Structures are given as C-alpha cells and as structure tokens.
Amino acid sequence: MVQEKKLVDEVSGWLRIYDDGSVDRTWTGPPEVSFMIKPVAPHEEFIDGVATRDVTISTTTNDNFIHRARLYLPEKTAKDNEKLPILLHFQGGGFCISEPDWFMYYEVYTRFVKSTRSICVSPFLRRAPEHRLPIAIEDGFATLRWLQSVAKGDAHDPWLEKHGDFDKVFLIGDSSGGNLVHEVSARASSAELRPVRLAGAIPIHPGYARSERSQSENEMPQSPFLTLDMLDKFLSLSLPIGSNKDHPITCPMGEVAPPLSSFKLPPFLLCIAEKDLLRDTQMEYYEAMKKANNEVDLFVNKEMTHSFYLNKIAVERDPTVSAEMKALIDRVKDFIEKH
C-alpha cells in the first residue's frame, strides 16, 4: 500500500511542500490568470520584433547542475548601434517560484529589449526550498562569468558575439531578483571581469525587509504579487536555515551586513512603487547607499504596487498602469543610455 504524502506547508496558489521533501509549484489560484505562468517556447525567428532562444551555460562550478539561460534579441533597426547593451536579468518570485520563460516575463522582457534596444540574458536560477540561498546568487554570478567567457572567446554564443556590447553590461532584477542585483554587484566588485564592464545595476522593487514589520508593510495594500504571507513564507523557505529577515541578503543595509562602502559598486538605478509593501525598507536601502557615497538614482512609480508591470491584464486594461509601465521602461532606457 502506497502511503499518501502529507502537506506540511504552502504558499497559497503558488507552492506546496510535502513531508517527503517534494515541492509542487502547480498553480492553484484563479484559473483565468494561469496563462501568465505558462512557459513560452523559444523562437529564433523574430515575432513582433523579438527572437528568443535558450542556451546552456558552461561554468567552472563543481556541481552537476546544468546552467541555462533565456536570451531575448530585438530585431535590428537602421537606428541601432552595431552592438547592443546586455541586460543580465534575474527574475523574482521570492527565490522560490517563477522561471524566465514564464509568459509574464516573456511579455515584459520582449517589451524591454525592444524599447531599450538591448539584449537580455535571463538565467534559470535554482530555487528554494530545494536550493536555499546563496545558491541563486552563485547562479547569477556564474552567468556573469559566462558572459566574460564569451567576451574573451573561451565560450561561444552567436547572438552575443555578433550583437552584444560587453562594455555595457547591466544587471537588472525585480522583487527577489533585485536582491540578486545587489549581491552579484557586490561579488563583482572584487572580481576581475575584463573585457566585460559592469556599467550599471537596476534593482526593481527589491525584496528588502527586516524582522520587524515596517510602516509600509502594515499600511500599504497587499497585491496578487506580494502579500505578507508570501513575504514571510518565501523568505523563511529561502534564507539559510537559522536566519531571519535581518540577513544581509534581505537587509543589505542592516547591522549584520557588510558596510555598503566596502564595495566598489557600479551606478545604481533603484526603482520602487509608491504603494509597495516593501517601500520603507527599499527607501532605507536607498538612503544607506547614498550615505555610503555610492552612485544611486531613484525612480518611483506613483500609486503602483509591487511588481505591477507583470500583471498583463492590468497593463492592457488600465491606462494608468500602462502609462506607469511605460514610464518605468523609459527611465531604465535613459539610465542605460547614460552609462
């Protein structure tokens, strides 16, 4: 007789963990939005001005994990430079869910590369709870090292070799991916990356928090992309065992984190949403970066909540949300062109 496994924890709609250690990420929320988390197959032909392909990344790590990444390439126009900036993107999902080939990311980053005239490289990061932090950071940094290998000719990718400008590489990530932007930037500050130049870093709505609830956590509206339950459970499942939200990965401006002044960081563009639950801790990070004399710009989407731009339905139906998404992309484009 096969013993039925028992549910031991869950994040409503997103994730279930069983007593045998298995994890089920089948969407169990409203079926009308399930299309947003379905994978989009790669297509090397241009569709609506963008081609995509998946690549295997050869790294020097000693594990058996096969590192992969999704590439987005905009169709060249007469106005484009010969070489395009490279965006190294880390997806959100509380370190526990989401993939770079999900429809919601496909929608956002096809639009990003068309608007910013850049190539996007988005690695498939290992996820918690099977792979707790700092594994995702290691995967992110390994992808940066892979870009260096391609730039040096030690590894090969036809799109990057033909179209990529390795002198203009930017890290970009949303929600927990924003945390990875900081962490990979910090690691890169003591690494020799030539001929790659890390030109800038763009954390969007990073998942910064403290053990004690902030005022914005208590007062701002919860949204489909971030509730207090999601925040608490995802971080408890992803941070190193025995850690809390004051860990440097989720609180890089905190008392136990290395001083922000100890890193030689690239210019940062911190993007936040006015009604994000995490607004207060994101602003605390911004002030700490300035105090440490790191170059950091701030962009705020008015009246928006956490990761609002991933909600395709709202972007298409609500003119205010659509306008704020355009404003976010335009600000990122300005930052890339400046650096």
Side-chain angles (χ1 to χ4, degrees):
M1 180 177 177
V2 179
Q3 186 175 2
E4 185 177 351
K5 58 185 180 182
K6 296 180 180 179
L7 182 70
V8 296
D9 205 354
E10 67 177 322
V11 182
S12 180
W14 294 102
L15 177 146
R16 287 149 302 286
I17 303 172
Y18 294 93
D19 57 356
D20 64 354
S22 62
V23 179
D24 182 5
R25 293 182 174 85
T26 305
W27 173 249
T28 59
E32 61 268 21
V33 297
S34 64
F35 71 94
M36 291 200 292
I37 65 171
K38 290 183 177 178
V40 177
H43 51 85
E44 296 197 29
E45 73 279 10
F46 288 101
I47 299 176
D48 293 330
V50 177
T52 64
R53 56 191 288 264
D54 292 342
V55 298
T56 298
I57 298 173
S58 299
T59 68
T60 57
T61 56
N62 295 320
D63 55 56
N64 295 319
F65 176 67
I66 299 175
H67 292 255
R68 296 185 302 128
R70 167 65 58 97
L71 270 60
Y72 296 84
L73 176 70
E75 194 167 12
K76 294 291 285 290
T77 70
K79 295 181 180 179
D80 284 335
N81 294 324
E82 182 179 352
K83 299 287 187 176
L84 302 176
I86 299 170
L87 302 182
L88 176 49
H89 166 250
F90 307 127
Q91 80 271 11
F95 308 107
C96 294
I97 59 171
S98 89
E99 296 276 32
D101 62 355
W102 277 12
F103 180 77
M104 66 170 71
Y105 279 114
Y106 176 85
E107 279 285 298
V108 169
Y109 278 89
T110 51
R111 184 167 172 178
F112 253 92
V113 297
K114 283 192 292 186
S115 298
T116 62
R117 310 312 302 165
S118 59
I119 303 172
C120 179
V121 179
S122 188
F124 288 78
L125 304 167
R126 282 175 287 182
R127 299 173 294 185
E130 303 97 319
H131 304 284
R132 286 181 176 262
L133 293 165
I135 290 295
I137 300 168
E138 294 170 3
D139 291 347
F141 188 72
T143 311
L144 182 60
R145 283 294 197 193
W146 175 73
L147 288 178
Q148 181 187 29
S149 296
V150 175
K152 293 169 67 176
D154 297 332
H156 297 284
D157 181 84
W159 285 6
L160 292 170
E161 290 170 43
K162 183 176 181 179
H163 304 292
D165 185 350
F166 293 98
D167 194 53
K168 287 179 71 72
V169 173
F170 295 83
L171 305 183
I172 185 170
D174 52 288
S175 194
S176 57
N179 300 53
L180 300 183
V181 167
H182 174 87
E183 294 298 323
V184 173
S185 295
R187 290 196 179 197
S189 70
S190 59
E192 175 54 67
L193 293 174
R194 289 181 294 183
V196 164
R197 181 178 73 95
L198 193 55
I202 310 165
I204 302 175
H205 309 178
Y208 294 145
R210 285 184 178 271
S211 293
E212 184 176 341
R213 290 268 190 243
S214 67
Q215 184 175 345
S216 61
E217 285 177 65
N218 287 323
E219 296 180 358
M220 290 297 113
Q222 300 185 64
S223 74
F225 292 106
L226 186 64
T227 65
L228 293 176
D229 181 65
M230 289 168 63
L231 174 66
D232 294 344
K233 287 191 174 179
F234 280 149
L235 295 187
S236 71
L237 292 170
S238 59
L239 286 167
I241 293 175
S243 302
N244 59 28
K245 294 176 193 169
D246 296 320
H247 190 281
I249 296 174
T250 44
C251 192
M253 63 289 186
E255 294 75 16
V256 299
L260 292 172
S261 58
S262 65
F263 304 114
K264 189 177 180 181
L265 299 173
F268 267 61
L269 171 63
L270 174 63
C271 302
I272 69 174
E274 187 178 32
K275 291 190 174 181
D276 195 333
L277 290 174
L278 303 178
R279 184 195 64 194
D280 288 353
T281 35
Q282 293 162 355
M283 285 301 299
E284 184 186 354
Y285 172 77
Y286 171 68
E287 295 297 339
M289 286 280 282
K290 287 200 303 180
K291 187 176 181 180
N293 294 318
N294 292 308
E295 183 180 343
V296 55
D297 294 335
L298 179 68
F299 175 76
V300 181
N301 278 115
K302 301 296 184 182
E303 297 294 316
M304 295 295 106
T305 58
H306 191 82
S307 298
F308 71 93
Y309 47 86
L310 293 177
N311 187 340
K312 174 181 170 61
I313 297 173
V315 169
E316 289 186 343
R317 296 181 181 177
D318 188 329
T320 300
V321 176
S322 179
E324 287 297 325
M325 181 178 183
K326 182 179 184 303
L328 171 62
I329 295 176
D330 287 347
R331 184 63 185 87
V332 170
K333 180 181 180 181
D334 290 344
F335 181 79
I336 292 172
E337 291 176 348
K338 177 181 177 182
H339 295 284

